[in-house]
Amino acid sequence: DAGVIQSPRHEVTEMGQEVTLRCKPISGHDYLFWYRQTMMRGLELLIYFNNNVPIDDSGMPEDRFSAKMPNASFSTLKIQPSEPRDSAVYFCASKEGLGDFTDTQYFGPGTRLTVL
Amino acid sequence: GENVEQHPSTLSVQEGDSAVIKCTYSDSASNYFPWYKQELGKRPQLIIDIRSNVGEKKDQRIAVTLNKTAKHFSLHITETQPEDSAVYFCAAGGRRALTFGSGTRLQVQP
């Protein structure tokens, strides 16, 4: 398996523009997580899905952020409109569906977002 | 929810010395404690984990200890090498999704 795949790897956009980040989890993994990493706040969980259903979105910072998982092999994180403070590295991670969180999460390579 | 605190934020050691990173957690229901290593510009990768039914686990030069009573766990790296230089994150969870510590930047001086 190629591991978790994210695109794009780098995104530079201007304030006010819509940004869409994409993730393909490892095949067979039932859980998908979106994280944001910044120097100030570290690694924050934004939202996670189980079997394509959003379970906990309490980490989503504002209504400008939305996430979807239309099928088991694809998820998007959208920011509309984007702001400079959204600049960060966004990671997607996935894991098997063992019913709890005591198994390994595999991270994708991340998308480095810069909002000017 | 869970709160994980990690210390120190930076750590510099000489090659061959040992390094210790400490974390505390707040939720007594947490039963899984992984450690991730993130090299510059790369993704976090699991290096070792421990579950609450054991107090210590070793894997070559890396060990993790857990004190459930005090709610703290530590990462120990012996005989450090330059390739150990990275940011290390602890996390706690298990029954709930993982909460990560703020990270420790380890620099191993040759």
Side-chain angles (χ1 to χ4, degrees):
Chain A
D1 199 311
V4 177
I5 298 172
Q6 290 186 246
S7 65
R9 296 292 308 277
H10 302 272
E11 177 80 29
V12 180
T13 190
E14 292 189 347
M15 184 173 62
Q17 296 299 305
E18 177 180 295
V19 175
T20 300
L21 311 181
R22 297 172 175 79
C23 176
K24 176 179 167 54
I26 293 172
S27 178
H29 282 192
D30 292 335
Y31 284 80
L32 183 140
F33 305 83
W34 282 101
Y35 290 92
R36 178 173 67 177
Q37 185 175 39
T38 61
M39 289 293 293
M40 291 298 296
R41 301 177 67 87
L43 199 58
E44 302 173 275
L45 176 63
L46 301 178
I47 186 172
Y48 76 88
F49 296 81
N50 180 23
N51 291 323
N52 314 336
V53 176
I55 303 300
D56 184 354
D57 65 354
S58 60
M60 297 285 263
E62 299 172 35
D63 291 346
R64 299 184 296 106
F65 286 69
S66 62
K68 294 182 179 179
M69 192 164 185
N71 57 63
S73 59
F74 184 65
S75 177
T76 60
L77 178 67
K78 185 177 293 186
I79 308 172
Q80 166 64 19
S82 58
E83 296 183 4
R85 60 195 167 117
D86 302 330
S87 298
V89 179
Y90 291 81
F91 286 102
C92 175
S94 70
K95 78 172 191 72
E96 294 180 323
L98 298 183
D100 62 9
F101 300 90
T102 61
D103 46 349
T104 305
Q105 289 186 23
Y106 296 87
F107 284 79
T111 295
R112 181 174 296 277
L113 173 64
T114 302
V115 183
L116 303 175
Chain B
E2 178 65 275
N3 181 45
V4 177
E5 295 193 358
Q6 183 171 347
H7 300 281
S9 57
T10 60
L11 180 59
S12 181
V13 300
Q14 291 294 126
E15 182 176 358
D17 287 350
S18 295
V20 180
I21 302 171
K22 299 181 180 182
C23 288
T24 60
Y25 62 100
S26 61
D27 188 353
S28 56
S30 289
N31 60 351
Y32 177 62
F33 308 91
W35 287 87
Y36 283 79
K37 175 183 180 182
Q38 186 178 25
E39 297 178 354
L40 188 63
K42 301 292 182 62
R43 72 192 76 187
Q45 292 191 295
L46 180 74
I47 56 171
I48 195 167
D49 57 14
I50 191 168
R51 288 166 175 76
S52 59
N53 57 344
V54 297
E56 183 176 1
K57 183 176 178 180
K58 280 188 177 180
D59 183 2
Q60 300 183 331
R61 296 186 297 107
I62 294 174
V64 59
T65 58
L66 171 65
N67 183 326
K68 288 187 297 182
T69 303
K71 294 195 195 132
H72 67 70
F73 55 112
S74 301
L75 177 71
H76 304 253
I77 306 175
T78 59
E79 300 173 21
T80 53
Q81 301 168 3
E83 52 265 38
D84 294 328
S85 296
V87 178
Y88 292 81
F89 292 94
C90 63
R95 293 188 176 86
R96 299 182 182 178
L98 296 178
T99 298
F100 284 81
S102 54
T104 296
R105 182 173 300 279
L106 173 64
Q107 182 69 42
V108 180
Q109 306 288 347

